[in-house]
Amino acid sequence: MLGLARSPSQRWRGTPMYQNVQLLRAVAAFMVFCYHALPQYKAMGGASDVFARFAAVGFAGVDVFFVISGFVAALTTLDKERTAAKAMQFLKRRVLRIYLGYWPFFGLALLVFWQSGFALSSLDLLGSFFLASVDMPRLLLYVSWSLTYELIFYGLVAATFAFPARSVAVLAHVAFLLLGGALLSKWGEPLSPTFIFLGFLVEFLAGALLYIHRDVLRKRWWLVAGFVAVFLAYWCGASRMATDGTIRIATFGAGALFLVMLAIVLEQSRTWIAPRFAAGLGDASYTLYLLHLVLLVIFAGHVRDALTVNPYLREAGFFVFLAVGVALSRLLYLRLELPLYRWSIGAARPAKA
């Protein structure tokens, strides 16, 4: 298939992946990392206005994740047999991927935060451990709310195995339009937790629809429209600082959709395909997403003040810290997350008679 390659995790799962989409995973995780690192940079007296502007909208990396998740869910399920066994196989692998990637960093965060004097008694540790809560202030790793949403989305995808693939495509279109209309009816109003969830579900559905209509994205003229749409969406979102509400979905959510679309067009038209090393960073995006909060606690407690002795050390040291975070995430993915996932899949297979 044109534009598809296999990274280590895809080779294990048997699912080919667009290299440009894999690279976007890494970009999205890095955006979130920078967003949460920005307060540390400001506390150091950081002087880069470019970085500050970029990091200020880094939360929008989560929107990119949801669009990619919908795209990948469609990629890995729509051509499968529509049976209960296939549904359970999909759900089992997704659940194992999320929990086995999450629990080691939950344990690490618990240790680091306890040693750093955090008030752990105020947190919902049980809900955090089982990803059963989206109450961000009470989560140990407060980015884990998005994993709870992912689990729900994957449950919905598993349920679609009860329908033929063509019917699923129709249902995805109808759900996208109905939910999008419901969100538009709330324009300018604070969204309830239910509507916040539905907003991210719309992004997930948008990614699935992008996969369904991928065959039309082979012409290079889509690149011009895509670049313009990405620029306008992110410019509007940044100018309004659209951190929540329907406006976030309409700006950063739309921007995420067009960004993934651009990645697909670039690859399918063979205009540009991400190098395998760069695309391989996408495999470690989940690790970086979970690890970076722990790294920031360590940085704030043991590194930050030492870098403020002069402006050159401050700037260089901070950006080296970001690079080290990415490199460490890649290493932990290869040495911890991927082997653990491989072991779990092998252990879950029924023994041969």
Side-chain angles (χ1 to χ4, degrees), residues 275-298:
R276 293 203 175 190
F277 171 77
L281 292 175
D283 287 328
S285 60
Y286 187 38
T287 304
L288 178 60
Y289 189 65
L290 296 172
L291 176 65
H292 78 273
L293 296 177
V294 176
L295 294 180
L296 284 168
V297 170
I298 296 172

PDB file of all heavy atoms in Angstrom, residues 275-298:
ATOM      1  N   PRO A 275      11.519  10.679   7.432  1.00  0.00           N
ATOM      2  CA  PRO A 275      12.536   9.636   7.599  1.00  0.00           C
ATOM      3  C   PRO A 275      12.109   8.651   8.670  1.00  0.00           C
ATOM      4  O   PRO A 275      11.402   9.003   9.614  1.00  0.00           O
ATOM      5  CB  PRO A 275      13.783  10.433   8.029  1.00  0.00           C
ATOM      6  CG  PRO A 275      13.520  11.835   7.625  1.00  0.00           C
ATOM      7  CD  PRO A 275      12.036  12.026   7.691  1.00  0.00           C
ATOM      8  N   ARG A 276      12.555   7.420   8.545  1.00  0.00           N
ATOM      9  CA  ARG A 276      12.101   6.386   9.489  1.00  0.00           C
ATOM     10  C   ARG A 276      12.507   6.694  10.922  1.00  0.00           C
ATOM     11  O   ARG A 276      11.780   6.376  11.859  1.00  0.00           O
ATOM     12  CB  ARG A 276      12.650   5.022   9.056  1.00  0.00           C
ATOM     13  CG  ARG A 276      12.044   4.546   7.744  1.00  0.00           C
ATOM     14  CD  ARG A 276      12.132   3.065   7.584  1.00  0.00           C
ATOM     15  NE  ARG A 276      11.442   2.646   6.373  1.00  0.00           N
ATOM     16  CZ  ARG A 276      11.191   1.392   6.064  1.00  0.00           C
ATOM     17  NH1 ARG A 276      11.576   0.423   6.884  1.00  0.00           N
ATOM     18  NH2 ARG A 276      10.561   1.074   4.948  1.00  0.00           N
ATOM     19  N   PHE A 277      13.670   7.314  11.099  1.00  0.00           N
ATOM     20  CA  PHE A 277      14.072   7.648  12.463  1.00  0.00           C
ATOM     21  C   PHE A 277      13.112   8.667  13.068  1.00  0.00           C
ATOM     22  O   PHE A 277      12.681   8.530  14.220  1.00  0.00           O
ATOM     23  CB  PHE A 277      15.493   8.210  12.485  1.00  0.00           C
ATOM     24  CG  PHE A 277      15.887   8.778  13.821  1.00  0.00           C
ATOM     25  CD1 PHE A 277      16.239   7.945  14.870  1.00  0.00           C
ATOM     26  CD2 PHE A 277      15.861  10.151  14.041  1.00  0.00           C
ATOM     27  CE1 PHE A 277      16.588   8.455  16.116  1.00  0.00           C
ATOM     28  CE2 PHE A 277      16.201  10.674  15.276  1.00  0.00           C
ATOM     29  CZ  PHE A 277      16.560   9.828  16.309  1.00  0.00           C
ATOM     30  N   ALA A 278      12.767   9.681  12.272  1.00  0.00           N
ATOM     31  CA  ALA A 278      11.848  10.707  12.770  1.00  0.00           C
ATOM     32  C   ALA A 278      10.469  10.111  13.036  1.00  0.00           C
ATOM     33  O   ALA A 278       9.842  10.389  14.058  1.00  0.00           O
ATOM     34  CB  ALA A 278      11.753  11.854  11.769  1.00  0.00           C
ATOM     35  N   ALA A 279      10.001   9.263  12.114  1.00  0.00           N
ATOM     36  CA  ALA A 279       8.709   8.615  12.313  1.00  0.00           C
ATOM     37  C   ALA A 279       8.752   7.686  13.516  1.00  0.00           C
ATOM     38  O   ALA A 279       7.760   7.530  14.235  1.00  0.00           O
ATOM     39  CB  ALA A 279       8.323   7.828  11.056  1.00  0.00           C
ATOM     40  N   GLY A 280       9.923   7.080  13.766  1.00  0.00           N
ATOM     41  CA  GLY A 280      10.064   6.194  14.913  1.00  0.00           C
ATOM     42  C   GLY A 280       9.887   6.899  16.235  1.00  0.00           C
ATOM     43  O   GLY A 280       9.547   6.264  17.244  1.00  0.00           O
ATOM     44  N   LEU A 281      10.112   8.201  16.270  1.00  0.00           N
ATOM     45  CA  LEU A 281       9.869   8.961  17.502  1.00  0.00           C
ATOM     46  C   LEU A 281       8.395   8.920  17.888  1.00  0.00           C
ATOM     47  O   LEU A 281       8.045   9.066  19.053  1.00  0.00           O
ATOM     48  CB  LEU A 281      10.320  10.411  17.328  1.00  0.00           C
ATOM     49  CG  LEU A 281      11.831  10.645  17.182  1.00  0.00           C
ATOM     50  CD1 LEU A 281      12.104  12.111  16.897  1.00  0.00           C
ATOM     51  CD2 LEU A 281      12.578  10.193  18.430  1.00  0.00           C
ATOM     52  N   GLY A 282       7.545   8.709  16.881  1.00  0.00           N
ATOM     53  CA  GLY A 282       6.118   8.610  17.164  1.00  0.00           C
ATOM     54  C   GLY A 282       5.778   7.422  18.034  1.00  0.00           C
ATOM     55  O   GLY A 282       4.817   7.463  18.815  1.00  0.00           O
ATOM     56  N   ASP A 283       6.550   6.345  17.902  1.00  0.00           N
ATOM     57  CA  ASP A 283       6.318   5.188  18.759  1.00  0.00           C
ATOM     58  C   ASP A 283       6.499   5.546  20.229  1.00  0.00           C
ATOM     59  O   ASP A 283       5.827   4.998  21.103  1.00  0.00           O
ATOM     60  CB  ASP A 283       7.290   4.055  18.402  1.00  0.00           C
ATOM     61  CG  ASP A 283       6.938   3.380  17.090  1.00  0.00           C
ATOM     62  OD1 ASP A 283       5.746   3.308  16.766  1.00  0.00           O
ATOM     63  OD2 ASP A 283       7.854   2.928  16.390  1.00  0.00           O
ATOM     64  N   ALA A 284       7.425   6.458  20.494  1.00  0.00           N
ATOM     65  CA  ALA A 284       7.729   6.851  21.876  1.00  0.00           C
ATOM     66  C   ALA A 284       6.866   8.006  22.361  1.00  0.00           C
ATOM     67  O   ALA A 284       7.075   8.505  23.468  1.00  0.00           O
ATOM     68  CB  ALA A 284       9.208   7.226  21.989  1.00  0.00           C
ATOM     69  N   SER A 285       5.895   8.436  21.569  1.00  0.00           N
ATOM     70  CA  SER A 285       5.089   9.595  21.948  1.00  0.00           C
ATOM     71  C   SER A 285       4.278   9.331  23.218  1.00  0.00           C
ATOM     72  O   SER A 285       4.118  10.227  24.057  1.00  0.00           O
ATOM     73  CB  SER A 285       4.159   9.988  20.800  1.00  0.00           C
ATOM     74  OG  SER A 285       3.279   8.927  20.460  1.00  0.00           O
ATOM     75  N   TYR A 286       3.766   8.120  23.369  1.00  0.00           N
ATOM     76  CA  TYR A 286       2.997   7.788  24.572  1.00  0.00           C
ATOM     77  C   TYR A 286       3.887   7.844  25.804  1.00  0.00           C
ATOM     78  O   TYR A 286       3.496   8.359  26.857  1.00  0.00           O
ATOM     79  CB  TYR A 286       2.378   6.405  24.390  1.00  0.00           C
ATOM     80  CG  TYR A 286       1.420   5.977  25.479  1.00  0.00           C
ATOM     81  CD1 TYR A 286       0.549   6.881  26.074  1.00  0.00           C
ATOM     82  CD2 TYR A 286       1.366   4.649  25.895  1.00  0.00           C
ATOM     83  CE1 TYR A 286      -0.340   6.484  27.061  1.00  0.00           C
ATOM     84  CE2 TYR A 286       0.473   4.226  26.869  1.00  0.00           C
ATOM     85  CZ  TYR A 286      -0.374   5.149  27.450  1.00  0.00           C
ATOM     86  OH  TYR A 286      -1.257   4.739  28.425  1.00  0.00           O
ATOM     87  N   THR A 287       5.110   7.325  25.670  1.00  0.00           N
ATOM     88  CA  THR A 287       6.063   7.386  26.774  1.00  0.00           C
ATOM     89  C   THR A 287       6.366   8.836  27.155  1.00  0.00           C
ATOM     90  O   THR A 287       6.359   9.194  28.337  1.00  0.00           O
ATOM     91  CB  THR A 287       7.361   6.657  26.402  1.00  0.00           C
ATOM     92  OG1 THR A 287       7.057   5.319  26.012  1.00  0.00           O
ATOM     93  CG2 THR A 287       8.333   6.636  27.570  1.00  0.00           C
ATOM     94  N   LEU A 288       6.622   9.678  26.166  1.00  0.00           N
ATOM     95  CA  LEU A 288       6.912  11.079  26.446  1.00  0.00           C
ATOM     96  C   LEU A 288       5.707  11.766  27.087  1.00  0.00           C
ATOM     97  O   LEU A 288       5.865  12.583  28.019  1.00  0.00           O
ATOM     98  CB  LEU A 288       7.304  11.802  25.152  1.00  0.00           C
ATOM     99  CG  LEU A 288       7.600  13.297  25.269  1.00  0.00           C
ATOM    100  CD1 LEU A 288       8.759  13.549  26.224  1.00  0.00           C
ATOM    101  CD2 LEU A 288       7.910  13.895  23.889  1.00  0.00           C
ATOM    102  N   TYR A 289       4.536  11.443  26.623  1.00  0.00           N
ATOM    103  CA  TYR A 289       3.304  12.043  27.149  1.00  0.00           C
ATOM    104  C   TYR A 289       3.156  11.764  28.650  1.00  0.00           C
ATOM    105  O   TYR A 289       2.706  12.629  29.415  1.00  0.00           O
ATOM    106  CB  TYR A 289       2.117  11.471  26.377  1.00  0.00           C
ATOM    107  CG  TYR A 289       0.791  12.130  26.652  1.00  0.00           C
ATOM    108  CD1 TYR A 289       0.568  13.458  26.304  1.00  0.00           C
ATOM    109  CD2 TYR A 289      -0.255  11.412  27.228  1.00  0.00           C
ATOM    110  CE1 TYR A 289      -0.663  14.057  26.537  1.00  0.00           C
ATOM    111  CE2 TYR A 289      -1.485  12.006  27.459  1.00  0.00           C
ATOM    112  CZ  TYR A 289      -1.683  13.333  27.108  1.00  0.00           C
ATOM    113  OH  TYR A 289      -2.907  13.916  27.337  1.00  0.00           O
ATOM    114  N   LEU A 290       3.538  10.565  29.073  1.00  0.00           N
ATOM    115  CA  LEU A 290       3.404  10.184  30.476  1.00  0.00           C
ATOM    116  C   LEU A 290       4.620  10.556  31.313  1.00  0.00           C
ATOM    117  O   LEU A 290       4.501  10.873  32.495  1.00  0.00           O
ATOM    118  CB  LEU A 290       3.155   8.673  30.580  1.00  0.00           C
ATOM    119  CG  LEU A 290       1.854   8.171  29.950  1.00  0.00           C
ATOM    120  CD1 LEU A 290       1.822   6.656  29.945  1.00  0.00           C
ATOM    121  CD2 LEU A 290       0.643   8.743  30.672  1.00  0.00           C
ATOM    122  N   LEU A 291       5.800  10.499  30.705  1.00  0.00           N
ATOM    123  CA  LEU A 291       7.039  10.725  31.450  1.00  0.00           C
ATOM    124  C   LEU A 291       7.316  12.194  31.726  1.00  0.00           C
ATOM    125  O   LEU A 291       7.926  12.534  32.749  1.00  0.00           O
ATOM    126  CB  LEU A 291       8.214  10.118  30.667  1.00  0.00           C
ATOM    127  CG  LEU A 291       9.620  10.331  31.224  1.00  0.00           C
ATOM    128  CD1 LEU A 291       9.785   9.621  32.568  1.00  0.00           C
ATOM    129  CD2 LEU A 291      10.672   9.833  30.225  1.00  0.00           C
ATOM    130  N   HIS A 292       6.874  13.084  30.859  1.00  0.00           N
ATOM    131  CA  HIS A 292       7.358  14.467  30.940  1.00  0.00           C
ATOM    132  C   HIS A 292       6.961  15.178  32.237  1.00  0.00           C
ATOM    133  O   HIS A 292       7.687  16.049  32.716  1.00  0.00           O
ATOM    134  CB  HIS A 292       6.906  15.272  29.710  1.00  0.00           C
ATOM    135  CG  HIS A 292       5.482  15.723  29.751  1.00  0.00           C
ATOM    136  ND1 HIS A 292       4.427  14.950  29.306  1.00  0.00           N
ATOM    137  CD2 HIS A 292       4.918  16.884  30.184  1.00  0.00           C
ATOM    138  CE1 HIS A 292       3.304  15.607  29.444  1.00  0.00           C
ATOM    139  NE2 HIS A 292       3.568  16.789  29.978  1.00  0.00           N
ATOM    140  N   LEU A 293       5.824  14.812  32.831  1.00  0.00           N
ATOM    141  CA  LEU A 293       5.433  15.458  34.080  1.00  0.00           C
ATOM    142  C   LEU A 293       6.393  15.105  35.208  1.00  0.00           C
ATOM    143  O   LEU A 293       6.742  15.956  36.037  1.00  0.00           O
ATOM    144  CB  LEU A 293       4.009  15.049  34.457  1.00  0.00           C
ATOM    145  CG  LEU A 293       2.906  15.493  33.494  1.00  0.00           C
ATOM    146  CD1 LEU A 293       1.561  14.955  33.945  1.00  0.00           C
ATOM    147  CD2 LEU A 293       2.860  17.015  33.374  1.00  0.00           C
ATOM    148  N   VAL A 294       6.845  13.858  35.240  1.00  0.00           N
ATOM    149  CA  VAL A 294       7.836  13.440  36.233  1.00  0.00           C
ATOM    150  C   VAL A 294       9.152  14.171  35.996  1.00  0.00           C
ATOM    151  O   VAL A 294       9.799  14.653  36.941  1.00  0.00           O
ATOM    152  CB  VAL A 294       8.045  11.911  36.172  1.00  0.00           C
ATOM    153  CG1 VAL A 294       9.137  11.483  37.139  1.00  0.00           C
ATOM    154  CG2 VAL A 294       6.740  11.188  36.480  1.00  0.00           C
ATOM    155  N   LEU A 295       9.557  14.262  34.736  1.00  0.00           N
ATOM    156  CA  LEU A 295      10.802  14.964  34.408  1.00  0.00           C
ATOM    157  C   LEU A 295      10.742  16.424  34.837  1.00  0.00           C
ATOM    158  O   LEU A 295      11.743  16.980  35.310  1.00  0.00           O
ATOM    159  CB  LEU A 295      11.082  14.867  32.903  1.00  0.00           C
ATOM    160  CG  LEU A 295      11.394  13.474  32.350  1.00  0.00           C
ATOM    161  CD1 LEU A 295      11.638  13.562  30.847  1.00  0.00           C
ATOM    162  CD2 LEU A 295      12.592  12.857  33.046  1.00  0.00           C
ATOM    163  N   LEU A 296       9.601  17.047  34.683  1.00  0.00           N
ATOM    164  CA  LEU A 296       9.475  18.462  35.053  1.00  0.00           C
ATOM    165  C   LEU A 296       9.567  18.661  36.565  1.00  0.00           C
ATOM    166  O   LEU A 296      10.113  19.665  37.027  1.00  0.00           O
ATOM    167  CB  LEU A 296       8.161  19.024  34.513  1.00  0.00           C
ATOM    168  CG  LEU A 296       8.143  19.305  33.010  1.00  0.00           C
ATOM    169  CD1 LEU A 296       6.731  19.577  32.522  1.00  0.00           C
ATOM    170  CD2 LEU A 296       9.064  20.471  32.676  1.00  0.00           C
ATOM    171  N   VAL A 297       9.036  17.716  37.335  1.00  0.00           N
ATOM    172  CA  VAL A 297       9.168  17.793  38.796  1.00  0.00           C
ATOM    173  C   VAL A 297      10.638  17.683  39.195  1.00  0.00           C
ATOM    174  O   VAL A 297      11.132  18.440  40.039  1.00  0.00           O
ATOM    175  CB  VAL A 297       8.329  16.696  39.474  1.00  0.00           C
ATOM    176  CG1 VAL A 297       8.648  16.609  40.967  1.00  0.00           C
ATOM    177  CG2 VAL A 297       6.843  16.966  39.273  1.00  0.00           C
ATOM    178  N   ILE A 298      11.352  16.749  38.577  1.00  0.00           N
ATOM    179  CA  ILE A 298      12.783  16.589  38.862  1.00  0.00           C
ATOM    180  C   ILE A 298      13.556  17.829  38.430  1.00  0.00           C
ATOM    181  O   ILE A 298      14.436  18.326  39.144  1.00  0.00           O
ATOM    182  CB  ILE A 298      13.329  15.336  38.151  1.00  0.00           C
ATOM    183  CG1 ILE A 298      12.653  14.078  38.724  1.00  0.00           C
ATOM    184  CG2 ILE A 298      14.842  15.237  38.298  1.00  0.00           C
ATOM    185  CD1 ILE A 298      12.984  12.814  37.965  1.00  0.00           C
TER     186      ILE A 298
END
